[in-house]
Amino acid sequence: MNDSTLHVSLCGDSDEVMPAGGWCFAPGQTIQIGRHPESDVVLKSTRVSRHHLTVFDDGQHWQCASFGSSGTDCDGSPVSHLELESGTVLELGPPGPMLRFELLGGTEEDDQRGTISIWIDDMKQGDVASFEKLWARCFSTIVKLARQRLGTARKRVEDEEDVAAEVFQKLYFASVNGKLPELTDRQSLWRLLLTMTRNAALDSINREQRAKRGGGHVRGESVAEDPRLLMPNPGPSAFDNFIGQVPTPGSVVSVKELVDQWLERLPDDEARQIALMRLEGFGTDEIAAQLGLPLRTAERRLQQIRAAWTE
């Protein structure tokens, strides 16, 4: 459990205004840093994005994710995500304001083989209980990050919980199918979740924009865009729970079980591999390139897969 208070202060030459004593945040908080007037740490420099940094407590350590268009540097190197240590200095939008982070109080409980690492290993073996523990630890933070990426001004068909559930669905599918050898510990988990959340939020925005241009009917082209399209006969099912207002880890596992059943209906290993790649978000051209297939062949195989699942 993380019981360290986070202290943030400006360092170096800066025209920014800092409250006396800097900013202090208790464990468990999620902190927004940027030019947006409602940020927890407001910076006025034009080098800083409106939502530049998100700092959050993952239950054991303070993590920092950079979303600024002008980037963030640590020790002169660009970073998109890092675990904060006492004394970490970040430069926002180099050359821009510099922030120093200090951890006050608390104890270090990290060891070489942490609990999250064990959960990850067990999840890769299909252990549902470990997946549920990772969900419980990370889901609310991913929802907050997705909300930030989606924005709050516009009315959305898909909300931040939909995006977070999509991220965890893909995490579970890819893990149990051996597609994430680099996922081994807490740091690699957060790095992967942050990247997946950015991509999923962008996909959600793009889908909505295409829907507006196409009258709202755009999802028939990709099984990855709407998992209900994988259903032989769409109707009440675990998928309905998955895309509902309150997604659960159990619904994601149910999806995995259903997809395993549908994969068995496909004629060969190549078709099953194509279906899994499509579900994981690969485009037709990417599938063709990775499998060494002509594009027309990949398109034809996808049509055959859809046909097999709608018989």
Side-chain angles (χ1 to χ4, degrees):
M1 177 180 177
N2 180 22
D3 56 358
S4 297
T5 297
L6 182 67
H7 179 264
V8 185
S9 60
L10 289 162
C11 58
D13 295 330
S14 176
D15 295 328
E16 302 289 347
V17 177
M18 180 177 68
W23 297 270
C24 282
F25 302 97
Q29 290 187 261
T30 296
I31 305 150
Q32 305 296 341
I33 300 175
R35 283 193 298 111
H36 194 285
E38 295 182 2
S39 296
D40 300 290
V41 176
V42 179
L43 301 174
K44 297 181 180 180
S45 171
T46 56
R47 300 292 305 168
V48 177
S49 298
R50 287 170 60 81
H51 301 286
H52 200 105
L53 295 180
T54 297
V55 178
F56 57 93
D57 175 7
D58 72 355
Q60 291 182 310
H61 297 271
W62 288 100
Q63 306 283 342
C64 180
S66 173
F67 300 106
S69 58
S70 54
T72 302
D73 279 9
C74 181
D75 293 330
S77 299
V79 294
S80 59
H81 164 255
L82 78 162
E83 184 178 291
L84 294 175
E85 299 177 351
S86 197
T88 297
V89 175
L90 298 180
E91 184 174 12
L92 284 62
M98 300 177 68
L99 295 176
R100 182 181 181 87
F101 298 85
E102 298 285 353
L103 307 182
L104 308 178
T107 58
E108 288 293 332
E109 299 179 354
D110 199 16
D111 54 21
Q112 289 185 328
R113 195 64 184 154
T115 302
I116 288 182
S117 298
I118 296 172
W119 292 345
I120 290 170
D121 284 349
D122 291 345
M123 176 182 67
K124 289 183 176 181
Q125 301 303 315
D127 183 67
V128 175
S130 294
F131 173 64
E132 290 176 341
K133 291 173 183 175
L134 289 171
W135 177 291
R137 173 67 64 84
C138 305
F139 187 78
S140 62
T141 299
I142 295 303
V143 168
K144 294 175 184 176
L145 295 174
R147 183 182 303 124
Q148 176 184 336
R149 301 304 292 170
L150 289 171
T152 57
R154 60 194 183 88
K155 183 178 180 180
R156 298 188 301 269
V157 176
E158 301 177 43
D159 65 13
E160 55 269 15
E161 285 196 344
D162 295 322
V163 170
E166 177 185 339
V167 167
F168 277 88
Q169 178 202 24
K170 290 181 178 179
L171 175 73
Y172 184 76
F173 270 81
S175 295
V176 297
N177 285 295
K179 300 296 182 64
L180 299 174
E182 72 281 5
L183 176 59
T184 59
D185 55 19
R186 183 185 64 256
Q187 287 185 308
S188 58
L189 173 66
W190 280 112
R191 185 161 50 247
L192 179 63
L193 287 175
L194 291 168
T195 299
M196 294 173 69
T197 302
R198 284 196 295 266
N199 293 341
L202 180 60
D203 288 344
S204 175
I205 293 170
N206 289 339
R207 281 196 294 267
E208 188 165 334
Q209 290 174 344
R210 290 198 301 271
K212 290 178 180 177
R213 292 194 298 267
H217 303 289
V218 298
R219 296 191 172 190
E221 297 301 319
S222 170
V223 294
E225 291 180 345
D226 187 343
R228 287 173 295 180
L229 297 174
L230 295 173
M231 293 292 293
N233 297 294
S237 67
F239 272 120
D240 294 317
N241 293 328
F242 174 72
I243 63 171
Q245 293 184 352
V246 185
T248 66
S251 62
V252 173
V253 174
S254 297
V255 169
K256 172 66 170 58
E257 293 171 348
L258 285 171
V259 172
D260 283 345
Q261 295 175 18
W262 302 332
L263 291 175
E264 292 177 0
R265 301 178 59 179
L266 299 180
D268 51 56
D269 288 341
E270 182 182 76
R272 285 185 278 273
Q273 186 173 5
I274 290 173
L276 281 172
M277 291 180 70
R278 189 64 159 171
L279 182 61
E280 290 167 7
F282 287 91
T284 308
D285 54 343
E286 294 172 312
I287 293 173
Q290 290 204 24
L291 299 184
L293 299 173
L295 182 59
R296 292 295 297 275
T297 300
E299 292 172 342
R300 185 173 65 253
R301 296 306 313 263
L302 283 168
Q303 291 173 355
Q304 293 170 350
I305 290 168
R306 293 190 187 100
W309 280 339
T310 54
E311 288 178 351

